[in-house]
Amino acid sequence: MAGFSEGELRALAGVRSFERGLGYLDAVSGVEVGDGAVTAVVYGTDVYEVELTLGEGTGVLGWCGCPYGQEGNFCKHCVAVGLTVLRHAQEIPRQRAAAKARASGLEAWLTALSRDELLALVREQVAGDRELHRRLELRAAASRCDLGTVRERVLALIDPRPFARYGYVEYADAAGYARQVAEAADALRALTAAGQATQAAGLAEEAIGALGKVYGEIDDSDGMVGQAAHAVVDAHLHACRGARPDPQRLAAWLVDHVLGDGSDVTDLDPLDYADVLGPAGLARMRQLAEKARRRSPRGWAEQCLMERLVKAEGDVDALVALYAKDLLPSGATHLHIAEELDAAGREDEALAWAERGLRDCAQEAHVDGRLVDYVCARYMRANRMTEVVSLRRDRLRAERSLAAYQQLRTAAGAAGCWGSEREAALTILREDARQGRSGRYGGSVLMDALLDDQDVDAAWREASGGAGDRQWQQLADLSREARPADALTVYLRLVEQLKEPTGDRVYEHMARLLLGARDCHRALDTLNDFTAYLAVLRADLKRRRKLMTILDRHGL
C-alpha cells in the first residue's frame, strides 16, 4: 500500500544505515502524506527535514537535509521515515486521496475568487509573512524602476551578516542565506524585464563582487550558495544581452573577476559572454589575459583563462605554444599537447611530443603514468612490442610498484618474453625487499607481485622477509586448501591483533578472518577445535554487543 517494502529500504540504505535508522523511529514527527510524497521531521544531531517520493511502480526516492543525505545517500533518517510509513501503510491511500482533494479544492477556490478578493488575500498573507512581504516589495520596486530601493535591497540580500552568528555562516544557516541570494538574482532579472538592463548589469556586477568577498566565510558544503551565486551570474549575462555594454569595459571586468580571489563562488565562464563581447571584446580579453600571464607565468587562474581563450579560437599551434611555455617535470603537459594534436588529426606530431616527454622526464622520480600509457598504446598499434616492453621495464625500475609490474607482465606476455622479464623484474624487487623498502600500502612490492601472480610457494618463501599484515592475509586466503595449517596460523595471529581495537570495520574484519580460520579447520578435519576456540573468544569479548551481532550474522 505504501509503494515500497522494508527490503527496498534496506537495499537503498545499506545494512549500516538501515540498522541505524531503526534507532530513530521514535525521533520521527510531523509526518504529512501528499499526493506523491511524504514529508516528516527527524530529530537527530540536528533537526532534519525528510522527503520520500512515492512513485507508482518506481519504488521510493529519499531526500534528507543531513550532511550524508545531502551527498545523495539514502540515510538513516530516510529509513526511519520509511519504516514509520510502513507501520501505517493501510492509511496511505486514504491520506493520498485526501491530499489530492485538498489541492484540487484550493485550486478551485482560488480560481473562483474575484480580483478584489484575491488582492485582499495577498495583502493578508503579506501582512503575516515578513519574507513574502520583502520579496513582493522588491519585485514591485523593480517593476517601477525604483533603482535606489532595488539596489539597497539586493545588497542587503547579499549581506551574510544576519546569518553569521559567530562571524561565520555555519552549515545550518547556509541554505537560508542561499535563498536570499537567489531572491537577489530574481530581482535583477525583474529589473531587466522592466527595461532597466543597463542598471541591472551594473548592480549584478556589484552583487557578484560582494559575493566573492564573503564566500570564504560560509560553510557551503552542499554548494547551495554557489548555485544561487551562479543564478546572479546568469542574471548579469541576461542583463548584458539586453544592455549591450561597451565590450572593452566588459572584457576588463570579466578578466578581473575570473582572476580575482572571489571567482570560486560564481564559476563564471567568460566565453558565455562571447555574443555580447563580439570580436573586439574577445580580442581585448585575450590581450588582458596575456598581460596577466606575463605578470604571473605560474598562476593557475591565468593559465586556465589563456587555455580557454586559445582553445575557443581553435588555433592548435597557439595552444601548443602556450603549453610549451611551462612544461611540467612529470610529463603531464607533454601529454596535453599530444592529446590536442591528436584531436586535430596530427598524430605523428602528437607521438613526437609524447616521446619528447618521456626523454625530458627520464631522470624524474615521478612520471605521469598516463603519458607512458599513451606512448605504449601508440607503439602497440604499430606492433612495436619490443619498445613497449622496454618502456614498461624502465617504469618498473623507476617506480617499483605493483601497477608497474602488472603492466610489464601484460606487455611482455603479449610479446612472448614474460619468462625472462619476470626473473629480471623479481630480482629488482627482491633487492628492494632485502633493503626494507615497502610498497604504497605496506609490505614489500615483491610480495605484492608474487601474490598477484598467485605464486603461492614463492610468496611463502619470501613472506618472512617483508610481508605486511594485508599481504599475510592475502597469502592465507590463497593457501586455505593447499596449506591449511600455515594459513590457519596466519588467521589466528591476525585475530589476536584485533582483540583490542573496536568499531564496525574492525569487527567485520575479524569475522572475515574467523571464516578463513574455520575453512582451514574444515580442511584439517579439526572443526571441534575451531568451535572451542570461537567459544572462548566470544566469552572474552561478550561485552562488545555489536561484535556479537556481526559474528551472529556471519554464522560464527
Side-chain angles (χ1 to χ4, degrees):
M1 301 294 283
F4 60 91
S5 65
E6 184 175 317
E8 185 175 354
L9 294 178
R10 186 187 297 273
L12 286 168
V15 174
R16 184 178 181 188
S17 288
F18 183 84
E19 290 182 353
R20 295 180 71 183
L22 293 172
Y24 280 81
L25 292 176
D26 293 336
V28 178
S29 67
V31 177
E32 293 186 11
V33 179
D35 185 25
V38 174
T39 59
V41 171
V42 181
Y43 293 87
T45 308
D46 205 335
V47 180
Y48 299 117
E49 294 183 6
V50 175
E51 180 177 4
L52 301 183
T53 303
L54 312 176
E56 293 293 339
T58 61
V60 59
L61 299 176
W63 177 91
C64 179
C66 74
Y68 189 61
Q70 289 291 300
E71 292 174 1
N73 299 297
F74 198 90
C75 66
K76 58 189 178 186
H77 307 113
C78 291
V79 171
V81 174
L83 291 173
T84 300
V85 171
L86 288 175
R87 284 181 171 183
H88 304 89
Q90 297 299 323
E91 301 174 19
I92 297 298
R94 179 185 59 78
Q95 292 175 323
R96 275 184 169 178
K100 192 170 184 179
R102 289 195 301 271
S104 177
L106 175 60
E107 179 66 23
W109 177 66
L110 289 173
T111 302
L113 291 177
S114 67
R115 178 180 180 277
D116 289 341
E117 288 172 326
L118 281 172
L119 284 173
L121 177 61
V122 171
R123 291 188 183 106
E124 177 188 331
Q125 295 302 311
V126 167
D129 188 332
R130 185 177 178 182
E131 186 175 340
L132 178 61
H133 182 279
R134 187 184 64 202
R135 287 204 305 270
L136 294 182
E137 193 174 58
L138 183 54
R139 292 279 187 92
S143 67
R144 67 175 184 270
C145 302
D146 183 351
L147 301 178
T149 299
V150 174
R151 180 180 181 277
E152 178 185 344
R153 292 302 305 137
V154 165
L155 294 182
L157 290 168
I158 296 296
D159 186 356
R161 285 178 293 181
F163 295 88
R165 289 176 288 180
Y166 307 104
Y168 180 83
V169 179
E170 296 180 311
Y171 171 82
D173 299 313
Y177 177 63
R179 284 194 292 269
Q180 284 200 178
V181 175
E183 189 179 329
D186 289 341
L188 292 168
R189 282 189 170 272
L191 195 60
T192 299
Q196 300 295 317
T198 300
Q199 290 76 7
L203 181 53
E205 289 173 12
E206 200 172 349
I208 290 169
L211 280 167
K213 290 177 182 177
V214 303
Y215 190 60
E217 302 300 319
I218 300 169
D219 182 354
D220 191 28
S221 301
D222 296 336
M224 298 175 71
V225 176
Q227 199 171 22
H230 196 67
V232 175
V233 172
D234 284 342
H236 176 251
L237 176 57
H238 183 66
C240 287
R241 284 175 173 154
R244 292 292 165 179
D246 174 49
Q248 303 278 332
R249 190 207 66 80
L250 178 59
W253 181 84
L254 289 169
V255 171
D256 285 344
H257 175 73
V258 170
L259 300 183
D261 293 335
S263 61
D264 289 346
V265 62
T266 57
D267 195 27
L268 183 151
D269 185 348
L271 290 177
D272 287 342
Y273 292 76
D275 58 325
V276 180
L277 289 165
L282 289 170
R284 178 58 177 162
M285 192 155 58
R286 171 75 180 270
Q287 291 173 356
L288 293 170
E290 288 174 342
K291 184 178 179 181
R293 181 155 172 76
R294 285 194 296 271
R295 285 197 309 267
S296 181
R298 294 278 182 176
W300 180 83
E302 288 79 3
Q303 172 75 6
C304 287
L305 177 59
M306 278 300 301
E307 285 181 21
R308 292 283 293 124
L309 294 174
V310 174
K311 279 186 176 182
E313 293 171 359
D315 188 340
V316 177
D317 290 319
L319 185 59
V320 169
L322 176 64
Y323 281 137
K325 289 179 181 178
D326 187 18
L327 296 170
L328 292 174
S330 66
T333 319
H334 297 79
L335 177 62
H336 285 319
I337 292 173
E339 289 172 338
E340 293 295 340
L341 289 168
D342 261 339
R346 295 158 62 173
E347 293 188 356
D348 291 344
E349 294 174 74
L351 179 58
W353 263 101
E355 291 172 327
R356 173 183 163 181
L358 293 180
R359 292 193 300 272
D360 290 351
C361 306
Q363 304 305 315
E364 296 294 332
H366 171 70
V367 176
D368 194 313
R370 297 171 302 166
L371 177 63
V372 181
D373 292 343
Y374 175 90
V375 176
C376 286
R378 291 293 302 272
Y379 284 173
M380 289 180 71
R381 280 163 47 190
N383 201 29
R384 297 165 61 176
M385 294 306 301
T386 301
E387 290 164 283
V388 174
V389 173
S390 178
L391 274 177
R392 293 305 187 188
R393 184 191 307 129
D394 290 344
R395 290 322 307 155
L396 176 64
R397 288 172 177 167
E399 291 182 15
R400 312 294 177 90
S401 69
L402 175 60
Y405 179 84
Q406 291 169 328
Q407 289 163 338
L408 173 59
R409 182 177 63 200
T410 299
C417 59
W418 177 227
S420 59
E421 287 294 337
R422 182 175 189 264
E423 287 307 312
L426 291 177
T427 298
I428 294 171
L429 299 180
R430 195 171 284 113
E431 178 61 22
D432 279 359
R434 189 184 67 79
Q435 295 181 15
R437 294 175 185 165
S438 296
R440 183 175 180 181
Y441 302 106
S444 69
V445 177
L446 172 64
M447 279 296 299
D448 283 331
L450 293 172
L451 291 168
D452 198 62
D453 285 341
Q454 296 198 7
D455 190 344
V456 177
D457 291 337
W460 277 108
R461 288 195 298 271
E462 302 289 350
S464 60
D469 287 345
R470 171 186 58 85
Q471 294 168 328
W472 276 113
Q473 182 177 345
Q474 189 177 353
L475 180 55
D477 290 342
L478 291 172
S479 306
R480 290 181 192 177
E481 296 182 7
R483 303 176 66 156
D486 292 333
L488 178 60
T489 301
V490 174
Y491 285 131
L492 296 181
R493 176 175 62 81
L494 295 177
V495 168
E496 288 298 312
Q497 294 177 8
L498 295 181
K499 284 186 175 181
E500 292 300 324
T502 59
D504 288 7
R505 185 174 298 179
V506 173
Y507 299 153
E508 289 287 352
H509 187 191
M510 182 182 285
R512 288 194 297 273
L513 293 171
L514 289 169
L515 290 171
R518 185 174 66 184
D519 287 346
C520 293
H521 275 291
R522 185 177 289 116
L524 294 167
D525 197 22
T526 56
L527 273 176
N528 288 339
D529 292 346
F530 176 75
T531 301
Y533 169 81
L534 183 61
V536 172
L537 180 71
R538 291 184 66 113
D540 287 345
L541 302 177
K542 62 183 179 182
R543 293 185 180 276
R544 301 185 188 178
R545 296 180 181 178
K546 191 59 180 290
L547 172 60
M548 297 299 107
T549 300
I550 289 174
L551 294 181
D552 289 341
R553 189 167 67 241
H554 286 282
L556 292 166

